[in-house]
Amino acid sequence: MASTTTELADLQRVLAQLRSSVGALRSRYGDAPAVRRIHNDVERLDIDVAELSGTMPTQRRSTESTEDVVIVPDTPYDPSLWRDADDEGLGGRAPH
């Protein structure tokens, strides 16, 4: 088990260095799509490593913004929202 702990610690250290590098890329290239994808990949790796180690990520990155998060509920939508809507490409629900 000690080797696994060491491997996870090594991986967490490498991820910290990678986050720093992504921050430098963001400073140089701004919010380019490629930089966002790399950032998302690093976040995914961080979550997976935390899952393996049995912990949650302890550090929130300053580059993250709560304004970017959109919470979509699992509850069904109100059917009245679709009352007069047409199914695009399938024609209307009622004859014209």
Side-chain angles (χ1 to χ4, degrees), residues 17-18 24 45 51 54 65 72-73 76-78 87:
Q17 292 171 342
L18 190 53
L45 288 169
E51 184 178 315
S65 171
V72 179
Y77 288 107
D78 181 3
D87 291 325

Side-chain angles (χ1 to χ4, degrees), residues 27-38:
S27 296
R28 180 173 178 155
Y29 296 104
D31 198 30
V35 174
R36 283 192 309 241
R37 285 191 303 269
I38 293 168

Side-chain angles (χ1 to χ4, degrees), residues 2-90:
S3 66
T4 302
T5 304
T6 303
E7 291 162 351
L8 287 173
D10 289 344
L11 189 53
Q12 288 170 334
R13 188 172 37 260
V14 169
L15 279 173
Q17 292 171 342
L18 190 53
R19 275 193 298 277
S20 176
S21 296
V22 172
L25 286 174
R26 184 166 283 186
S27 296
R28 180 173 178 155
Y29 296 104
D31 198 30
V35 174
R36 283 192 309 241
R37 285 191 303 269
I38 293 168
H39 176 264
N40 288 340
D41 291 343
V42 172
E43 291 297 310
R44 181 72 243 167
L45 288 169
D46 195 29
I47 290 168
D48 290 341
V49 170
E51 184 178 315
L52 284 174
S53 66
T55 62
M56 290 305 297
T58 56
Q59 180 181 4
R60 297 293 288 179
R61 262 57 80 213
S62 61
T63 57
E64 291 182 12
S65 171
T66 56
E67 295 173 10
D68 295 336
V69 177
V70 176
I71 298 173
V72 179
D74 290 337
T75 57
Y77 288 107
D78 181 3
S80 67
L81 292 171
W82 313 112
R83 187 171 319 159
D84 295 324
D86 287 340
D87 291 325
E88 192 171 316
L90 299 176

